[in-house]
Amino acid sequence: MSLNSLIPRKWSSKIIICLSFYFFTINGYAQHNQDYTRLQNGVQIQTEDGPLRVEFVTSEIVRVQFTKENEFLGNGTIVCVDRTAGKTPFKIKQIKNILQLSSDQLIVQINLLNYSIVYKNARTKAILLSERSFNPREGERIFTEKATYDDQSKRIINSADGQKEVKNEIYRDTIGYSWKYRIHFQWNDKEAIYGLGSHMEDYMNLRGKEVFLTQHNLKAMVPVLNSTAGYGLLFDAGCGMIYSDKNENSFIELEAAKQIDYYFMKGNTLDEVIKQYRFLTGGSPMMPRYIFGYIQSKERYRSSTELINIVKEYRNRSVPLDVIIQDWNYWPQGWGYMKMDRKYYPNPASLADSIHDLNAKLMISIWPNPTNCPQADDFKKRGFMLEHSVYNAYNPLAQKKYWEYADNEFFNNGFDAWWCDCTEPLDADWKLMSDGYGWDNHRERWKKNLALLSDVLGAERSSTYSLYHSKGIYENQRLVTDKKRVVNLTRSSYAGQQRYSTITWNGDTPATWKSFSQQIPSGLNFMSTGCPYWTVDVGAFFTKKGNEWFRCGDFDQGVKDLGYREFYTRMFQFATFLPILRSHGTDTPREIWNFGKPGESFYDSLLKMIHLRYQLLPYIYSLAGKVTQEHYTISRLLAFDFPNDINALDIKDQFMFGPAFLVCPVTTPMYYEKESIPLNLTNKSRKVYLPKGANWIDFWTGDLFSGGQYIVAEAPIDKIPLYVRQGSIVPMGSVIQHTEELPGKNIRISVYPGKDAKFVFYEDEGDNYNYEQGFFSSIELIWKDSSRSFTISNRQGAFNDMEKVRTIHVDLYDDKTTTTKTINYSGKRIKLKF
């Protein structure tokens, strides 16, 4: 229940999927005196506990609503996009106690005795998912409270997450009620389930697990499940949740909602489920080309001069770089003030110009909790502040005012991208805690953070702040210009947030090998929800130990510790194959020259990975085009491509990077313990599983391996185990210093034979929204293995300043030999024989 109103919302006259469907006035009667009403796309049943509504959104998507109220009030989120409800053809019939709704894709069976629902594939009749056959849904009335604070006790405290305004609580009032709901499911024995966002719990396959869901630092919640059984689930509510698959009682619990509101999405593959999810919640816009280069950050650069000099040093060393980031505390007073201290940043426009003159971009950290500064006073005066000095991102007028501050100081002065930090926007335990409170105390973290967020934001929308905050940034920038794409790096997420051009990172992690290994399944689960852009702090945020529970890094000496240099290098290798590559953290410097000198192992290994990242830019940017055009996922857990390989379903430390690369990060030390203590291991290797259904080529050596086996892969410090699937096409480029050099460069297309292959090479203008009007090009690349022929198809589409003629080198990698053919391509089909 919303804190500011208990009055039921009036139904909008506009018919939209996420709010209502109108009634189709044909009544039917089931047995056992059970009435149901036929709707345009489904049915409504009046159960003993409340109304149940089951409707087709499309022939492959079903929406289920249930409430303990007398009518559907909606959960009031913006998770789903507004969409006019069209008519979906379906048939309805009753067979004894079963009411069956059938489209050409799905059969939905409702048991009229207990109201449980079974979903079947219409073609195979196989059961995809069942609700529990008894008591499938439960609802418990809960009361909502509002705290009243003593304004006279207001004070500012310093926390690890910045300055916070706090007051003494005087009393609490019960202001209304909401409902705690459970939906019970019966999963299939052999299915694997993924999703729910970015977790700390070190889970890949979520079967048999329990996950506590709300937003807090180190957890980004997205209430979406994706199953290898051929379906996904989207839960449209804004509250905290629990996922539990234990003791044969599997359920999703909504902690505070007006109603159950979930979508069943049929999809034969995980990719198809994501396509259905984005149909409901919106597509993912194109990120600008520069964001796929290397991003340098640390906590923190302290002046314009330092920022400029860092970029100059990268250029002087010929180390590629595209983005430099200014982190917090650039303001002259208070906290989160969107104003640069002119003592250290005398001219923001000149700073941006200087960075641009060095062919780099500038990202700025902005916060949602201005404290003890003119901006906070302005927001309070206008009624735009919630308690604890959090700006009210749910208010469109407050969003506009927030944007005005960001625009006036940054965007209007040429800054390129946003880092929206702390979008939880409060953390209850980011401070000293009692003994026993630790890293793995997931339930307690959930309880404390959910209670705080519910207090400030309202229990029914406690997990959605980042979604609305991102909406304000995206929509207001789009109103200013279509010449610069929105980039928003943010610490929290929610279903639907991908449509606001966000990148989520996994929070302020500690530098431990255990934490590093946990981050891999965390990100893969996040990206399996349909939110495609995720990254990490390369090197982890906290390198040192401290008094708080979360300051538990193993490397007190930072970059002086050879153990940390190894750790950083291995994390960098992993992050090279994430959608976004970004170094960041506190306690110790992060620039490449702090890890050694040219000719030394760690420096050379880092440079090697940066070079590879830039060589892969044509491949990566094409995959980004596929994300926007085809709802693809770039960094993919193995079940995306190998759902029938039971050995691959719970592998936590390997993943696919696009369709070609199998990435196998090294997550244990091989050279040094902490404090530079040598390990003296003669064997620098790790075990790798090669999924069956494909043969695999070692990217570094060209060795060929059969799939469906474990092998031991050599893993010296300059080499991450990396394999290419036979039957792959990989567009590549030369080593460049920044992404603006990419246009005009020759393209190398690497072909790995053994199977037929296709790949679509995508290009556009790089940093505007002209692609939305069709200004982009795509070229289908085709390898036919039997005829050993490679075809570059006719170019489809065009854009401003597109290169009409390209020099293309085609490299065929075959049995450790390379054959190269060079052509000039003018947009017309060319076929090569090898």
Side-chain angles (χ1 to χ4, degrees):
M1 183 65 65
S2 174
L3 289 182
N4 59 11
S5 176
L6 294 175
I7 301 173
R9 293 179 176 84
K10 295 182 179 179
W11 291 106
S12 170
S13 59
K14 181 178 180 181
I15 305 171
I16 57 177
I17 284 176
C18 293
L19 294 179
S20 68
F21 289 97
Y22 61 86
F23 286 130
F24 188 69
T25 56
I26 298 177
N27 293 330
Y29 298 93
Q31 295 181 9
H32 308 288
N33 299 317
Q34 173 61 59
D35 294 344
Y36 70 86
T37 301
R38 178 162 180 164
L39 314 176
Q40 173 176 270
N41 289 331
V43 297
Q44 180 163 320
I45 301 170
Q46 186 61 43
T47 77
E48 291 87 347
D49 292 326
L52 170 67
R53 186 181 293 176
V54 182
E55 299 169 292
F56 286 101
V57 177
T58 69
S59 61
E60 296 179 302
I61 301 174
V62 175
R63 184 185 187 188
V64 176
Q65 298 178 81
F66 171 78
T67 183
K68 299 278 282 188
E69 299 282 0
N70 293 325
E71 60 179 329
F72 296 107
L73 302 177
N75 287 327
T77 78
I78 57 168
V79 164
C80 294
V81 295
D82 292 357
R83 196 184 305 275
T84 302
K87 186 175 181 179
T88 301
F90 77 101
K91 297 178 181 178
I92 184 169
K93 67 179 179 180
Q94 185 176 339
I95 307 171
K96 296 184 178 180
N97 302 324
I98 303 299
L99 186 63
Q100 179 168 295
L101 286 62
S102 303
S103 72
D104 62 351
Q105 296 291 324
L106 276 174
I107 296 172
V108 183
Q109 295 179 331
I110 307 169
N111 188 317
L112 297 175
L113 295 179
N114 54 41
Y115 313 115
S116 64
I117 302 172
V118 175
Y119 303 91
K120 294 182 177 180
N121 186 314
R123 296 178 181 176
T124 65
K125 305 302 185 291
I127 294 176
L128 300 173
L129 174 67
S130 302
E131 293 183 340
R132 191 172 68 179
S133 58
F134 64 95
N135 199 21
R137 291 164 225 97
E138 299 175 273
E140 171 191 357
R141 188 190 296 263
I142 60 171
F143 291 96
T144 55
E145 297 180 332
K146 181 176 176 59
T148 298
Y149 295 93
D150 178 10
D151 287 336
Q152 300 302 315
S153 68
K154 181 177 70 174
R155 59 200 181 277
I156 306 299
I157 64 169
N158 292 316
S159 75
D161 228 14
Q163 292 183 354
K164 307 289 184 183
E165 180 183 283
V166 297
K167 304 174 189 175
N168 294 338
E169 183 180 315
I170 303 174
Y171 56 84
R172 287 178 170 266
D173 288 325
T174 298
I175 60 169
Y177 69 91
S178 188
W179 295 91
K180 179 186 291 188
Y181 289 107
R182 276 189 180 181
I183 315 105
H184 297 271
F185 295 102
Q186 295 174 319
W187 318 115
N188 296 319
D189 288 342
K190 296 182 179 180
E191 72 179 299
I193 295 176
Y194 309 100
L196 297 180
S198 181
H199 324 298
M200 300 162 56
E201 287 88 334
D202 194 28
Y203 300 155
M204 188 74 268
N205 182 3
L206 300 180
R207 293 302 311 277
K209 309 300 194 301
E210 190 171 48
V211 184
F212 300 96
L213 300 169
T214 191
Q215 308 289 0
H216 56 73
N217 196 332
L218 300 172
K219 183 178 283 288
M221 169 187 177
V222 183
V224 174
L225 293 172
N226 202 340
S227 170
T228 57
Y231 70 89
L233 294 171
L234 163 64
F235 299 91
D236 188 357
C239 56
M241 301 181 191
I242 298 174
Y243 162 89
S244 181
D245 184 30
K246 292 189 172 183
N247 303 320
E248 299 184 357
N249 181 23
S250 302
F251 61 83
I252 293 286
E253 181 173 287
L254 313 179
E255 299 304 305
K258 290 184 174 66
Q259 63 180 62
I260 290 172
D261 193 351
Y262 78 84
Y263 294 85
F264 176 92
M265 305 172 289
K266 176 180 176 289
N268 293 326
T269 65
L270 273 65
D271 280 308
E272 289 182 13
V273 169
I274 286 176
K275 183 177 180 179
Q276 307 286 22
Y277 160 79
R278 292 191 191 149
F279 170 82
L280 291 170
T281 65
S284 181
M286 278 298 296
M287 290 286 175
R289 185 168 50 222
Y290 70 78
I291 207 67
F292 298 103
Y294 175 53
I295 303 170
Q296 180 63 63
S297 179
K298 74 172 184 180
E299 197 266 335
R300 66 184 174 88
Y301 300 116
R302 298 177 181 274
S303 69
S304 294
T305 300
E306 186 179 10
L307 284 163
I308 295 166
N309 285 341
I310 292 294
V311 180
K312 284 182 177 179
E313 183 65 19
Y314 271 92
R315 296 291 178 247
N316 290 338
R317 289 172 175 264
S318 296
V319 177
L321 175 73
D322 261 274
V323 182
I324 188 82
I325 301 180
Q326 174 62 58
D327 199 356
W328 64 3
N329 231 357
Y330 52 77
W331 37 77
Q333 64 184 104
W335 187 266
Y337 186 18
M338 282 189 276
K339 192 76 172 177
M340 303 195 88
D341 189 337
R342 294 303 191 261
K343 180 178 179 181
Y344 303 102
Y345 309 88
N347 189 324
S350 177
L351 167 61
D353 288 344
S354 297
I355 297 297
H356 294 160
D357 288 343
L358 292 165
N359 296 301
K361 306 293 185 183
L362 181 57
M363 178 183 284
I364 186 71
S365 171
I366 58 176
W367 292 65
N369 50 354
T371 305
N372 199 28
C373 64
Q375 183 183 338
D377 296 339
D378 184 22
F379 273 58
K380 288 177 183 177
K381 179 182 67 177
R382 298 173 186 272
F384 292 164
M385 293 292 270
L386 304 171
E387 288 292 347
H388 296 279
S389 219
V390 174
Y391 107 90
N392 187 358
Y394 298 95
N395 182 337
L397 295 177
Q399 290 177 358
K400 183 178 180 182
K401 178 54 65 175
Y402 188 89
W403 168 257
E404 287 178 6
Y405 274 90
D407 186 23
N408 290 339
E409 184 70 355
F410 303 120
F411 195 69
N412 188 52
N413 282 319
F415 286 52
D416 300 285
W418 309 106
W419 178 10
C420 291
D421 208 338
C422 197
T423 46
E424 293 77 28
L426 297 163
D427 251 281
D429 62 351
W430 214 236
K431 56 188 178 182
L432 289 170
M433 302 298 291
S434 59
D435 291 343
Y437 192 94
W439 183 258
D440 296 320
N441 209 326
H442 303 298
R443 181 184 285 272
E444 286 303 307
R445 289 208 72 203
W446 176 78
K447 287 170 61 177
K448 290 180 182 297
N449 284 288
L450 181 57
L452 176 60
L453 291 170
S454 296
D455 253 3
V456 176
L457 307 179
E460 291 182 358
R461 64 183 191 186
S462 59
S463 296
T464 62
Y465 187 88
S466 183
L467 174 63
Y468 287 81
H469 187 23
S470 302
K471 176 179 186 289
I473 294 293
Y474 180 84
E475 292 184 347
N476 280 288
Q477 181 175 321
R478 290 299 305 264
L479 288 173
V480 171
T481 182
D482 62 358
K483 302 302 183 185
K484 185 182 289 291
R485 295 177 191 169
V486 180
V487 173
N488 178 356
L489 174 66
T490 186
R491 200 164 70 185
S492 288
S493 191
Y494 209 68
Q497 191 168 298
Q498 77 285 341
R499 69 179 181 262
Y500 298 130
S501 205
T502 56
I503 305 159
T504 300
W505 96 99
N506 60 332
D508 297 344
T509 53
T512 68
W513 288 97
K514 176 183 177 182
S515 172
F516 171 26
S517 67
Q518 290 174 336
Q519 291 174 50
I520 301 172
S522 173
L524 296 175
N525 264 305
F526 179 87
M527 290 178 281
S528 73
T529 65
C531 297
Y533 293 111
W534 182 88
T535 190
V536 297
D537 291 346
V538 172
F541 188 73
F542 295 110
T543 63
K544 300 179 180 180
K545 280 188 168 54
N547 294 325
E548 302 96 333
W549 66 271
F550 48 84
R551 291 185 190 269
C552 55
D554 280 343
F555 305 99
D556 288 345
Q557 299 174 21
V559 294
K560 295 179 181 179
D561 187 338
L562 296 179
Y564 180 70
R565 294 189 185 190
E566 179 183 357
F567 173 84
Y568 181 91
T569 301
R570 293 305 195 185
M571 274 203 78
F572 202 103
Q573 291 172 347
F574 157 61
T576 298
F577 299 97
L578 293 176
I580 308 298
L581 171 60
R582 163 182 163 271
S583 171
H584 181 68
T586 192
D587 301 331
T588 196
R590 305 299 169 110
E591 300 80 21
I592 186 172
W593 50 87
N594 292 291
F595 293 86
K597 297 180 294 186
E600 295 180 352
S601 60
F602 298 118
Y603 185 101
D604 286 354
S605 298
L606 294 170
L607 184 60
K608 179 179 179 179
M609 298 314 296
I610 295 174
H611 283 173
L612 179 57
R613 176 76 180 196
Y614 277 80
Q615 288 176 291
L616 287 172
L617 278 172
Y619 176 74
I620 295 169
Y621 199 62
S622 294
L623 295 178
K626 193 174 176 70
V627 168
T628 298
Q629 303 293 333
E630 302 178 32
H631 307 293
Y632 190 69
T633 300
I634 297 175
S635 298
R636 310 153 60 79
L637 55 87
L638 296 181
F640 273 91
D641 298 281
F642 307 99
N644 299 317
D645 186 346
I646 192 169
N647 293 320
L649 299 185
D650 202 28
I651 290 179
K652 301 177 184 180
D653 60 353
Q654 298 178 206
F655 60 96
M656 294 296 294
F657 186 59
F661 292 100
L662 175 66
V663 184
C664 311
V666 175
T667 59
T668 57
M670 296 179 179
Y671 291 84
Y672 295 98
E673 296 181 31
K674 61 183 178 180
E675 300 178 357
S676 302
I677 299 173
L679 284 171
N680 297 320
L681 299 178
T682 57
N683 184 16
K684 308 292 195 300
S685 63
R686 62 151 290 180
K687 186 168 75 169
V688 165
Y689 179 71
L690 302 175
K692 64 182 178 182
N695 293 328
W696 300 91
I697 301 164
D698 187 314
F699 177 78
W700 308 110
T701 67
D703 291 333
L704 177 64
F705 299 90
S706 299
Q709 64 167 325
Y710 288 93
I711 64 170
V712 176
E714 293 300 312
I717 193 62
D718 66 338
K719 185 187 296 184
I720 178 175
L722 183 65
Y723 298 85
V724 185
R725 179 162 40 179
Q726 263 197 334
S728 292
I729 298 171
V730 182
M732 297 181 70
S734 55
V735 175
I736 55 179
Q737 295 304 298
H738 53 85
T739 55
E740 290 304 304
E741 289 185 342
L742 190 59
K745 296 292 184 181
N746 294 347
I747 296 297
R748 304 200 74 95
I749 299 176
S750 300
V751 180
Y752 295 85
K755 282 188 175 182
D756 291 350
K758 290 184 180 181
F759 189 87
V760 176
F761 177 48
Y762 173 92
E763 291 182 298
D764 63 21
E765 293 169 43
D767 192 10
N768 59 42
Y769 287 97
N770 290 344
Y771 74 88
E772 293 181 339
Q773 312 306 318
F775 289 91
F776 62 89
S777 76
S778 58
I779 303 169
E780 188 173 48
L781 310 174
I782 304 169
W783 169 256
K784 289 291 186 183
D785 207 59
S786 59
S787 61
R788 293 182 63 80
S789 65
F790 182 74
T791 301
I792 305 176
S793 303
N794 291 326
R795 181 191 289 125
Q796 303 297 316
F799 55 91
N800 296 326
D801 299 323
M802 181 182 75
E803 295 170 73
K804 301 297 192 297
V805 179
R806 302 292 295 271
T807 299
I808 298 178
H809 309 282
V810 181
D811 299 322
L812 183 72
Y813 294 94
D814 192 9
D815 193 23
K816 289 194 174 185
T817 62
T818 304
T819 304
T820 300
K821 295 193 175 186
T822 300
I823 60 166
N824 288 323
Y825 175 73
S826 61
K828 299 299 182 182
R829 180 179 180 272
I830 295 178
K831 186 174 183 178
L832 303 175
K833 293 284 289 183
F834 286 86

